[in-house]
Amino acid sequence: MKIFYIPITNKISETNYNNTIKKRITFNGIKISQFTNDSSGVWGFKDGKSNIRTYNSIEAGDIIFFRTTDKEKYQCFDGFGVVAKKEIDSQLAKNFWNDKEFKNLIYFNKVVIFDEPFRLSKNTKKLETLTFGKLWHDGYNMFRQWSLKEDDDDIKSPEDLINYFYSFKHKILYDNINIYALNDDNFFVSEDVKNLLEDEDVISLEKTEKEIIIKTRIGQSKLRDKLILLKNKCELCSIDKKELLIASHIKPWSKSTKDERLDVNNVLLLCPLHDQLFDKGFISFDDDGKILISDEIKDGDLKDFNINLNMKINLTEKEKKYFKYHRENIFKNSNNK
C-alpha cells in the first residue's frame, strides 16, 4: 500500500471533489453508476509528465488523501479514499466533468471524511512541511508520495499511518470495497471477503469460481445498502445505527438460487439480536406479518430478547414464499419436529 494526496485548490476542483467523489454524481447530477455500473467515486486529472509518472505508480488498495482548505483558510486533509481501480477514458471524463482532458481516472470504493479537517499548516499563507513523529511530506508537490524515516518508533509503515488517521473521529461516506484482479493470482478484496477466501471450501477452487463466489457476496453488500435506503432501521425495533444493521436472508443464502440470493424480497433488515433470533429459528412470521415465537423461548426471556407477541412487520406478496420456507425449515416449533 502506498499513500498519495490530491490537492483540491480551486472552485473547479472543489466542485469535482464534492460531486464525483463525495456524492458520486456527474457535473449535471447524474449518478456515476449510470456510466460505470458500480457505486465507486471517481477523480480525474490531466496529462503531464509529473502527473502521469505518479498516476502510473498508483495501484488498487493505495490510499489517497484529499487536501482542501477549511473555513479559516487553513490547508488540511478532509479525509481519504481507498483506490479501487484506474483507467484512461476521455469519453467518461466528458460524462463526469464535461471535460475530456481529465481522462486519467482513479476510482474510489471507500471514502472516509474526518469530523474535523486535519490541518497541515501553522498559518494561513504557507503550507509548511508536515511533521508528526518522524513522518514528513512536501506539501507543494502534487500527488507527492508520503515518505517514512526508518527510526520512527510510532509510525513505521503506511498501514501505521492509516491506523493513526482512523483514530480521528470520522464518518464513512460509503464502503463498497469490490474485487479487482491485480494479476492472475492476486486480488484486492475487503476484509469480509478475505475471510471467505481463507475458507477451506474456497481455497481449492479455480480463480473463476472464486470470482463468482466473491461477486455474489459483493451483491449481498449492495443488497444491504438498498435495504437501508428503503427501510432505514431494524424492522422489529427502533435501532437505526447503519453500522449495526444486517441484511438477514429469509431463505438461507446456502439454500437459495442465484436470483433468490440477491432478491430484495428475500431479506429482512434487522439489528444483530433480532438477526440471530431469526437466523437460528427462534422467531418467524406468518402470512400477515405477525411474529411467531418459538416455544423454546420462555416467557420470562421475551423482555431480554426485546420481542413480544404484538410485533408485526409489513409483508409483501413476494415475500410470503420465503417466509413459508423459513417457517417450515428454520423455525423452531414443536410442530416442525
Side-chain angles (χ1 to χ4, degrees):
M1 179 182 73
K2 300 183 297 298
I3 298 174
F4 304 86
Y5 81 90
I6 293 173
I8 300 165
T9 57
N10 54 48
K11 290 185 178 180
I12 294 177
S13 59
E14 287 177 3
T15 299
N16 292 344
Y17 171 56
N18 287 322
N19 283 345
T20 58
I21 292 181
K22 283 188 169 182
K23 298 178 183 178
R24 292 173 288 176
I25 60 174
T26 67
F27 72 98
N28 56 2
I30 299 174
K31 290 183 178 180
I32 287 175
S33 57
Q34 296 288 325
F35 302 100
T36 64
N37 295 320
D38 64 37
S39 299
S40 298
V42 64
W43 181 261
F45 56 97
K46 299 179 180 181
D47 285 340
K49 186 175 181 180
S50 176
N51 286 357
I52 297 304
R53 182 173 62 249
T54 306
Y55 179 81
N56 289 339
S57 70
I58 296 173
E59 299 176 314
D62 287 345
I63 302 294
I64 297 183
F65 281 80
F66 310 122
R67 181 166 71 79
T68 60
T69 304
D70 67 14
K71 294 179 180 179
E72 297 180 19
K73 305 301 181 182
Y74 282 86
Q75 295 181 76
C76 59
F77 282 146
D78 191 38
F80 60 88
V82 181
V83 177
K85 63 177 181 178
K86 60 183 184 178
E87 66 178 332
I88 299 175
D89 192 316
S90 58
Q91 184 55 53
L92 281 177
K94 176 74 172 179
N95 293 335
F96 296 151
W97 303 290
N98 198 32
D99 191 334
K100 290 185 177 182
E101 291 191 33
F102 292 103
K103 63 181 180 179
N104 303 288
L105 309 177
I106 295 175
Y107 293 87
F108 298 96
N109 49 19
K110 181 175 183 177
V111 165
V112 175
I113 299 297
F114 304 133
D115 287 4
E116 295 291 335
F118 180 83
R119 287 182 175 178
L120 302 176
S121 54
K122 294 181 180 179
N123 56 60
T124 60
K125 297 180 179 179
K126 180 181 178 183
L127 178 60
E128 299 179 359
T129 297
L130 171 65
T131 303
F132 51 92
K134 300 295 183 180
L135 182 73
W136 68 272
H137 93 129
D138 179 352
Y140 282 117
N141 289 340
M142 183 177 182
F143 276 102
R144 176 70 180 236
Q145 185 174 341
W146 288 83
S147 296
L148 298 161
K149 293 187 176 180
E150 295 179 357
D151 59 345
D152 181 20
D153 292 330
D154 299 320
I155 302 176
K156 297 181 179 180
S157 69
E159 286 77 12
D160 290 338
L161 174 65
I162 297 306
N163 288 333
Y164 172 82
F165 277 105
Y166 266 125
S167 69
F168 298 171
K169 289 185 178 180
H170 64 273
K171 58 179 175 290
I172 299 176
L173 288 189
Y174 50 89
D175 186 359
N176 300 312
I177 298 295
N178 212 329
I179 176 174
Y180 295 95
L182 300 181
N183 55 52
D184 288 341
D185 301 309
N186 192 17
F187 296 96
F188 169 62
V189 298
S190 58
E191 286 298 324
D192 57 338
V193 174
K194 284 181 182 177
N195 295 329
L196 177 66
L197 286 175
E198 293 172 359
D199 188 285
E200 291 183 0
D201 293 332
V202 177
I203 289 174
S204 61
L205 295 178
E206 296 295 328
K207 175 190 170 184
T208 302
E209 293 174 301
K210 288 181 182 180
E211 285 182 317
I212 292 172
I213 291 175
I214 294 169
K215 287 178 180 178
T216 300
R217 292 298 176 91
I218 290 167
Q220 285 181 273
S221 177
K222 292 182 178 180
L223 185 62
R224 173 182 174 275
D225 292 340
K226 185 183 295 184
L227 277 178
I228 288 175
L229 288 175
L230 291 172
K231 301 181 179 180
N232 299 315
K233 62 184 179 180
C234 172
E235 296 186 56
L236 280 182
C237 66
S238 59
I239 290 178
D240 60 359
K241 188 70 173 174
K242 179 180 176 181
E243 292 83 358
L244 298 178
L245 297 176
I246 298 170
S248 184
H249 274 78
I250 303 169
K251 183 178 179 181
W253 186 89
S254 61
K255 303 296 183 181
S256 297
T257 66
K258 179 180 178 181
D259 290 338
E260 288 175 337
R261 289 171 180 172
L262 302 181
D263 184 359
V264 71
N265 298 294
N266 188 26
V267 283
L268 291 174
L269 191 64
L270 299 173
C271 67
L273 174 58
H274 291 139
D275 168 68
Q276 285 297 304
L277 289 171
F278 184 73
D279 185 61
K280 303 300 182 184
F282 291 108
I283 61 174
S284 191
F285 299 89
D286 65 18
D287 280 344
D288 293 322
K290 294 180 180 179
I291 194 171
L292 301 174
I293 301 175
S294 169
D295 46 23
E296 294 187 18
I297 294 183
K298 299 177 182 179
D299 291 344
D301 294 330
L302 295 179
K303 185 176 181 180
D304 291 336
F305 292 145
N306 194 19
I307 53 175
N308 63 72
L309 291 171
N310 295 321
M311 283 181 160
K312 185 177 181 180
I313 64 173
N314 295 320
L315 195 65
T316 68
E317 287 297 321
K318 293 181 179 180
E319 292 173 327
K320 289 183 178 180
K321 68 173 183 177
Y322 295 117
F323 280 108
K324 182 176 185 296
Y325 180 96
H326 189 272
R327 290 194 301 269
E328 294 177 353
N329 298 277
I330 310 298
F331 184 48
K332 297 180 183 294
N333 190 307
S334 56
N335 293 331
N336 292 350
K337 297 179 179 177

